Amino acid sequence: MSAGALAQLNAEYARAIDDDRLEDWPDFFAEPCLYTITSVDNHKRGLPVGIMYADSKGMLRDRVTALRQANIYERQAYRHIVGLPAILEAREDGARTETPFLVVRIMRDGRMDLFATGRYVDVVVDLHGTPRFRERVVVCDSSRVDTLLAIPL
Amino acid sequence: MSAGALAQLNAEYARAIDDDRLEDWPDFFAEPCLYTITSVDNHKRGLPVGIMYADSKGMLRDRVTALRQANIYERQAYRHIVGLPAILEAREDGARTETPFLVVRIMRDGRMDLFATGRYVDVVVDLHGTPRFRERVVVCDSSRVDTLLAIPL
Amino acid sequence: MSAGALAQLNAEYARAIDDDRLEDWPDFFAEPCLYTITSVDNHKRGLPVGIMYADSKGMLRDRVTALRQANIYERQAYRHIVGLPAILEAREDGARTETPFLVVRIMRDGRMDLFATGRYVDVVVDLHGTPRFRERVVVCDSSRVDTLLAIPL
């Protein structure tokens, strides 16, 4: 799997969320998958994930449905800035990568703030020529993560 | 057009602005060109661009001249962090891409703040072997854009 | 030296610092090397570097030892977001590049702030097939750099 393909996967993933095309989000994953959001402290100490856990595309879709019904996130927008992926292992049919990210939140009145930073710890697989996440563990740098419930990261 | 060429174009563009080489900025465009700055709300609703509009390199140059005369921007500096470009369509002679960006403003006293986030919606063409912007539509996430008049984004 | 190799070097460098693997940091450099942190004002005016200067891997290692003893940095974490490298000159055996960066600081209580922005002005060489920094001049946009003493950038 090429560095270009991995960069493109990351770019498309972030773009889907920031464009509010949340319904497209589960399709960036393989089935079965692992998607979790955790803090760096929990991740280091091997503690169970507190913020979000999904191990199938169905669970990701349920998450989107819940978000659409709650409508919480509508009052704000997000902008992901995804850094350069570090490729830890690359094979023909997949890769293990770590990619830093930063998310800015834009309130409806125009105010912006740093919402989250962290890294994606990923296992990417080749699905009939298309790279998809087998695992995406979102490790947030900050332990203040309550509000992270609002959107996928 | 390769992903590498597109990344290099984006890197050079941001570098020219952040180095305050504004006179080089129009040369990143093809002639004729389209350069606009708009907000995501206006962009979604198809409203006319409120912040900046130029459809020739001459208009871009006029803009730089105006900025140099006004001297407003001299009191601060900017840093563009450009994310991974999502390549929507790539042909031999050009590409359509969307690229997220974040701009930090650095005041003369050293204070920093988030100045703008958004995405570049681009049409890039090959100009005798060099990629240039045929269109660059700067869609800002925030509707607070008055101050954006200060520099090109 | 390929754009991919340069991107990977930058990604690994940032990752080592953000993972708090500071002991690995000197190994991203060739011997002898030049590593300095300066402000854009000093850099422009050719003034001597005020913040940090090292011209051997030994000096970089001493720096890490001092940091570990001082333990100052332990109370916070950092996240580097490294932008697209602009390749100024690329040869078979090396490259000159400029790469923008942004560093977010995450306090132990979860608060985040913009810690530093700037650009890396680099000379990269090929060391038996591995890219390493011969020179990394860290030019910070802000003149408020006292606190930069805390970690390598």
Side-chain angles (χ1 to χ4, degrees), chain A residues 67-135:
Chain A
L67 279 171
R68 290 294 187 209
Q69 283 167 350
N71 246 349
I72 312 168
Y73 66 92
E74 284 236 30
R75 273 167 268 155
Q76 50 235 20
Y78 297 88
R79 176 61 53 193
H80 286 65
I81 302 289
V82 177
L84 302 171
I87 301 173
L88 309 191
E89 188 190 345
R91 295 187 316 268
E92 188 71 31
D93 62 339
R96 287 192 315 114
T97 63
E98 281 198 18
T99 306
F101 68 85
L102 175 160
V103 180
V104 174
R105 180 170 52 181
I106 302 102
M107 312 305 277
R108 293 308 296 171
D109 67 0
R111 273 178 302 130
M112 291 176 282
D113 59 13
L114 281 175
F115 180 65
T117 64
R119 62 196 154 101
Y120 296 123
V121 181
D122 296 329
V123 177
V124 180
V125 292
D126 184 298
L127 221 69
H128 316 297
T130 308
R132 289 293 174 248
F133 295 110
R134 173 69 71 199
E135 294 183 20

Side-chain angles (χ1 to χ4, degrees), chain A residues 87 98 115 118 141-142 144, chain C residues 8 15 79 109-112:
Chain A
I87 301 173
E98 281 198 18
F115 180 65
D141 292 323
S142 172
R144 281 195 188 177
Chain C
Q8 184 73 3
R15 192 171 155 256
R79 176 61 53 192
D109 66 1
R111 272 178 304 131
M112 291 176 281

Side-chain angles (χ1 to χ4, degrees), chain B residues 79, chain C residues 10 13 17 25 29 34-43 49-54 60 80 97-103 115-123 133 135-142 145 148 151-153:
Chain B
R79 176 62 53 192
Chain C
N10 272 288
Y13 177 99
I17 297 173
W25 170 63
F29 292 84
L34 176 68
Y35 176 80
T36 65
I37 304 181
T38 187
S39 69
V40 68
D41 284 344
N42 280 15
H43 188 69
V49 168
I51 307 165
M52 187 174 164
Y53 175 92
L60 296 175
H80 286 65
T97 63
E98 279 197 20
T99 306
F101 68 85
L102 175 159
V103 180
F115 180 66
T117 64
R119 62 196 154 100
Y120 296 123
V121 181
D122 297 329
V123 177
F133 295 110
E135 292 182 22
R136 166 150 277 196
V137 176
V138 185
V139 183
C140 294
D141 292 323
S142 173
V145 280
L148 288 182
I151 53 149
L153 285 179

Side-chain angles (χ1 to χ4, degrees), chain C residues 45-66:
Chain C
R45 293 149 65 194
L47 290 181
V49 168
I51 307 165
M52 187 174 164
Y53 175 92
D55 59 13
S56 71
K57 290 173 75 166
M59 287 180 73
L60 296 175
R61 277 188 214 104
D62 287 351
R63 175 80 190 157
V64 173
T65 306

Side-chain angles (χ1 to χ4, degrees), chain B residues 12 15 19 24-25 29 43 48 52 55 67 77-79 88 91 98-100 103 109 112 123 129 133 139 145 153:
Chain B
E12 291 290 357
R15 191 169 155 257
D19 284 358
D24 295 347
W25 171 63
F29 292 84
H43 188 67
M52 187 174 164
D55 60 12
L67 279 171
Y78 298 87
R79 176 62 53 192
L88 309 191
R91 295 188 316 269
E98 280 198 19
T99 306
V103 181
D109 66 2
M112 291 176 281
V123 177
F133 295 110
V139 184
V145 281
L153 284 179

Side-chain angles (χ1 to χ4, degrees), chain A:
Chain A
M1 191 165 292
S2 71
L6 291 166
Q8 184 72 3
L9 173 66
N10 272 288
E12 291 290 356
Y13 177 99
R15 192 170 155 256
I17 297 173
D18 293 345
D19 283 358
D20 195 26
R21 290 182 284 107
L22 297 186
E23 284 72 15
D24 294 348
W25 172 62
D27 290 330
F28 288 98
F29 292 84
E31 180 80 272
C33 61
L34 176 68
Y35 176 81
T36 65
I37 305 181
T38 187
S39 70
V40 68
D41 284 345
N42 280 15
H43 188 68
K44 255 189 210 161
R45 292 149 66 194
L47 291 180
V49 168
I51 307 165
M52 187 174 164
Y53 175 92
D55 60 13
S56 71
K57 291 174 73 167
M59 286 181 73
L60 296 175
R61 276 189 215 106
D62 287 351
R63 176 82 190 155
V64 172
T65 306
L67 279 171
R68 290 294 187 209
Q69 283 167 350
N71 246 349
I72 312 168
Y73 66 92
E74 284 236 30
R75 273 167 268 155
Q76 50 235 20
Y78 297 88
R79 176 61 53 193
H80 286 65
I81 302 289
V82 177
L84 302 171
I87 301 173
L88 309 191
E89 188 190 345
R91 295 187 316 268
E92 188 71 31
D93 62 339
R96 287 192 315 114
T97 63
E98 281 198 18
T99 306
F101 68 85
L102 175 160
V103 180
V104 174
R105 180 170 52 181
I106 302 102
M107 312 305 277
R108 293 308 296 171
D109 67 0
R111 273 178 302 130
M112 291 176 282
D113 59 13
L114 281 175
F115 180 65
T117 64
R119 62 196 154 101
Y120 296 123
V121 181
D122 296 329
V123 177
V124 180
V125 292
D126 184 298
L127 221 69
H128 316 297
T130 308
R132 289 293 174 248
F133 295 110
R134 173 69 71 199
E135 294 183 20
R136 166 149 276 195
V137 176
V138 185
V139 184
C140 294
D141 292 323
S142 172
S143 48
R144 281 195 188 177
V145 280
D146 326 296
T147 49
L148 289 181
L149 286 163
I151 53 149
L153 285 178

